[in-house]
């Protein structure tokens, strides 16, 4: 059973803290994505990566950075958390070369609250 | 750049009734189109996708969608809704080969018993 896992389901942090959200996939997918989901706004792409050590900005990269040191792991970093980063964060992976061409497989999400 | 509109924020149906969720896209060429479902507290799961060929696409859980190029639409349908179908539904469009979908804002489906 293919799987995308995220390190935490719920996270509460203080303003100014550095926050790490981890995502791991076991499907050997090339592409990995970080989205934030807010009510009424749908999913907005923060960053994506199409290979190890490669990253591209999405639509809302400000205040975030990412790291992909291994193919299976994609980390989202909030350098200095702010209250407007309170949101649901979803990780996804996909592969252009597999039979599930470009179907995105999602993790369960991390609900982050910044106080 | 591509875009997606889901005109309905909320849809309420009775269990056993038919369902149609609307999706309109904007893209110059033939897009890749997807419908995903998000059950409460879960990530998204693919229901169906369209790349080319037959414009009526069958998916999981009894869902189907029809691609209509003339209307730039990809509406999701189900003939008889079950209470377990209550969820958030997202339409997505991808410019072929970009590997990056653009998601609509979602439609929340409420099912009355």
């Amino acid at each position: 059973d293919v799987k995308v896992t995220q390190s935490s389901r719920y996270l509460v942090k203080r303003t100014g803290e550095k926050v790490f959200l981890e995502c791991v996939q076991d499907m050997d997918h090339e592409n990995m994505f970080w989205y934030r989901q807010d009510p009424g706004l749908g999913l907005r792409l923060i960053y994506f990566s199409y290979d190890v050590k490669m990253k591209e900005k999405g639509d809302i990269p400000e205040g975030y950075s990412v790291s992909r040191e291994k193919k299976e792991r994609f980390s989202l970093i909030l350098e200095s958390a702010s209250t407007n980063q309170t949101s649901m964060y979803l990780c996804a992976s996909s592969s252009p070369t597999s039979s599930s061409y470009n179907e995105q497989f999602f993790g369960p999400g991390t609900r982050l609250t910044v106080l | 750049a591509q875009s997606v509109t889901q005109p309905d924020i909320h849809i309420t149906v009775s269990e056993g009734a038919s369902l149609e969720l609307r999706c309109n896209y904007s893209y110059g060429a033939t897009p890749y189109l997807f419908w995903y479902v998000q059950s409460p507290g879960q990530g998204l799961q693919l229901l169906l996708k369209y790349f080319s060929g037959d414009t009526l696409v069958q998916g999981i859980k009894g869902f189907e969608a029809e691609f209509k190029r003339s209307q730039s639409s990809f509406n999701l349908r189900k003939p008889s809704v079950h209470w377990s179908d209550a969820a958030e539904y997202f339409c997505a469009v991808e410019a072929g080969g970009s590997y990056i979908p653009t998601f609509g804002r979602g439609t929340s489906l409420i099912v009355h018993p």
Side-chain angles (χ1 to χ4, degrees):
Chain A
D1 192 21
V2 297
K3 189 175 289 186
V4 178
T5 57
Q6 296 184 229
S7 51
S8 304
R9 293 298 302 269
Y10 300 93
L11 208 54
V12 180
K13 295 293 181 180
R14 299 261 177 215
T15 301
E17 281 192 80
K18 190 169 186 175
V19 182
F20 293 87
L21 303 182
E22 304 285 340
C23 175
V24 178
Q25 51 97 1
D26 65 359
M27 296 164 280
D28 200 36
H29 282 172
E30 294 86 348
N31 303 330
M32 295 189 74
F33 306 79
W34 275 107
Y35 297 92
R36 67 176 281 175
Q37 181 180 14
D38 299 288
L41 298 179
L43 276 69
R44 293 182 291 166
L45 182 63
I46 305 172
Y47 269 96
F48 67 97
S49 168
Y50 52 89
D51 202 351
V52 176
K53 297 190 184 294
M54 305 301 288
K55 60 184 179 183
E56 295 286 344
K57 292 179 180 179
D59 299 319
I60 52 164
E62 297 78 18
Y64 304 95
S65 62
V66 290
S67 172
R68 193 168 181 198
E69 297 296 318
K70 294 185 178 181
K71 190 175 185 180
E72 68 271 18
R73 187 180 298 269
F74 192 35
S75 301
L76 179 69
I77 303 153
L78 287 67
E79 295 289 342
S80 178
S82 64
T83 55
N84 62 14
Q85 293 178 309
T86 292
S87 186
M88 170 71 88
Y89 290 88
L90 293 169
C91 175
S93 71
S94 71
S95 172
T97 58
S98 74
S99 60
S100 61
Y101 173 83
N102 275 3
E103 171 185 349
Q104 295 214 329
F105 292 85
F106 283 83
T110 295
R111 185 165 295 281
L112 173 67
T113 301
V114 183
L115 302 176
Chain B
Q2 66 268 28
S3 66
V4 179
T5 301
Q6 292 181 248
D8 304 305
I9 298 173
H10 302 284
I11 291 278
T12 301
V13 299
S14 298
E15 191 170 15
S18 63
L19 172 70
E20 182 170 37
L21 302 182
R22 296 184 291 164
C23 173
N24 294 98
Y25 69 89
S26 173
Y27 179 62
T30 299
Y32 295 170
L33 294 160
F34 306 81
W35 274 101
Y36 288 85
V37 62
Q38 184 181 34
S39 298
Q42 303 294 318
L44 279 70
Q45 179 187 19
L46 182 72
L47 284 174
L48 46 79
K49 59 189 176 186
Y50 171 80
F51 291 163
S52 65
D54 192 347
T55 56
L56 186 62
V57 180
Q58 301 298 320
I60 62 171
K61 305 186 180 189
F63 286 92
E64 66 177 27
E66 187 171 12
F67 170 57
K68 293 186 177 179
R69 184 190 303 275
S70 61
Q71 298 177 20
S72 297
S73 70
F74 189 56
N75 294 347
L76 182 70
R77 301 193 294 248
K78 187 170 185 178
S80 178
V81 170
H82 188 263
W83 64 266
S84 61
D85 293 323
E88 190 91 14
Y89 290 81
F90 293 93
C91 181
V93 60
E94 178 195 316
S98 74
Y99 314 131
I100 305 167
T102 297
F103 287 85
R105 297 191 174 192
T107 297
S108 178
L109 175 64
I110 301 164
V111 181
H112 281 313

